[in-house]
Amino acid sequence: DGGITQSPKYLFRKEGQNVTLSCEQNLNHDAMYWYRQDPGQGLRLIYYSQIVNDFQKGDIAEGYSVSREKKESFPLTVTSAQKNPTAFYLCASTGSMENEQFFGPGTRLTVL
Amino acid sequence: GQSLEQPSEVTAVEGAIVQINCTYQTSGFYGLSWYQQHDGGAPTFLSYNALDGLEETGRFSSFLSRSDSYGYLLLQELQMKDSASYFCAVRDRWGGGGSYIPTFGRGTSLIVHP
């Protein structure tokens, strides 16, 4: 079955540590996205990538970094520079000229 | 800046019809989408409107008026499983490479009572 996987589902880290969230898709989509969702809030765009080896900052990129070395993979690193990293992180992808964004199950990150 | 407004919460009873409104102010507009998200889950796509008018998909319909910067999602024959958050999202930026960048609203929590 085609889809997007994110791991792990729950992640706990100590303050000051960098952490990398995994996102893999087998939908053959070119575009991939990372969103952050806080309780009672909408989805805010962190980074997006339209093609391998290229990515762009979204609306709240500070304290985050990404890479896109393979079409299938778009990992997100939450660095110690992110002031309030506890949140639900969602990865998404979309095919060229398609209307729908497909979302992964999300990773809930808690920084202690 | 970009802004999307939708009610924070809507309640209704099983079998009823409910309408969730979305008004937007964005610098660009390429279309309006709706997504459903159950607690702790991933958003799933419901509908998309690029042109004015009504799009119907089963029990769900979505409407767009570009001149009014307004759209709505209509849910008919409500079921308990429809209890979820509903997000409108405006495609307001072109990301290049054939894909748009959406801006999401804060979401409307729909509570369906028996």
Side-chain angles (χ1 to χ4, degrees), chain A residues 3-5 22-30 32 52 67-75 91 93:
Chain A
I4 302 178
T5 57
S22 165
C23 177
E24 304 278 332
Q25 56 99 358
N26 60 3
L27 300 166
N28 199 34
H29 286 167
D30 286 313
M32 297 187 74
V52 174
S67 62
R68 187 85 187 275
E69 297 177 1
K70 299 187 299 181
K71 187 174 185 178
E72 302 80 17
S73 179
F74 190 40
C91 179
S93 71

Side-chain angles (χ1 to χ4, degrees), chain B residues 52-87:
Chain B
D52 287 358
L54 190 69
E55 295 282 341
E56 297 181 66
T57 309
R59 294 188 297 115
F60 294 179
S61 302
S62 58
F63 172 81
L64 174 65
S65 169
R66 294 178 66 142
S67 60
D68 294 323
S69 298
Y70 164 76
Y72 66 72
L73 179 70
L74 191 73
L75 296 84
Q76 302 181 74
E77 301 172 18
L78 280 175
Q79 302 174 9
M80 296 295 290
K81 68 178 182 179
D82 296 330
S83 292
S85 291
Y86 293 84
F87 296 88

Side-chain angles (χ1 to χ4, degrees), chain A residues 25-107:
Chain A
Q25 56 99 358
N26 60 3
L27 300 166
N28 199 34
H29 286 167
D30 286 313
M32 297 187 74
Y33 311 78
W34 273 105
Y35 293 94
R36 171 184 172 134
Q37 186 175 32
D38 294 285
Q41 302 292 312
L43 282 65
R44 292 185 290 168
L45 183 65
I46 304 172
Y47 268 97
Y48 65 96
S49 169
Q50 301 286 326
I51 198 168
V52 174
N53 292 323
D54 185 62
F55 49 82
Q56 304 296 326
K57 292 182 179 180
D59 302 313
I60 55 164
E62 186 174 349
Y64 300 97
S65 66
V66 294
S67 62
R68 187 85 187 275
E69 297 177 1
K70 299 187 299 181
K71 187 174 185 178
E72 302 80 17
S73 179
F74 190 40
L76 172 75
T77 297
V78 184
T79 75
S80 57
Q82 168 51 232
K83 298 304 179 191
N84 186 18
T86 294
F88 188 47
Y89 290 88
L90 287 158
C91 179
S93 71
T94 188
S96 180
M97 303 307 291
E98 285 187 11
N99 297 330
E100 177 177 356
Q101 275 196 322
F102 292 82
F103 285 85
T107 292

Side-chain angles (χ1 to χ4, degrees), chain B residues 5-40:
Chain B
E5 296 292 330
Q6 49 180 132
S8 60
E9 186 176 296
V10 173
T11 60
V13 295
E14 254 186 316
I17 299 172
V18 72
Q19 178 174 312
I20 299 173
N21 299 321
C22 175
T23 57
Y24 57 88
Q25 281 187 310
T26 56
S27 54
F29 182 86
Y30 300 97
L32 179 70
S33 302
W34 289 92
Y35 288 82
Q36 178 192 61
Q37 184 182 32
H38 286 97
D39 270 350

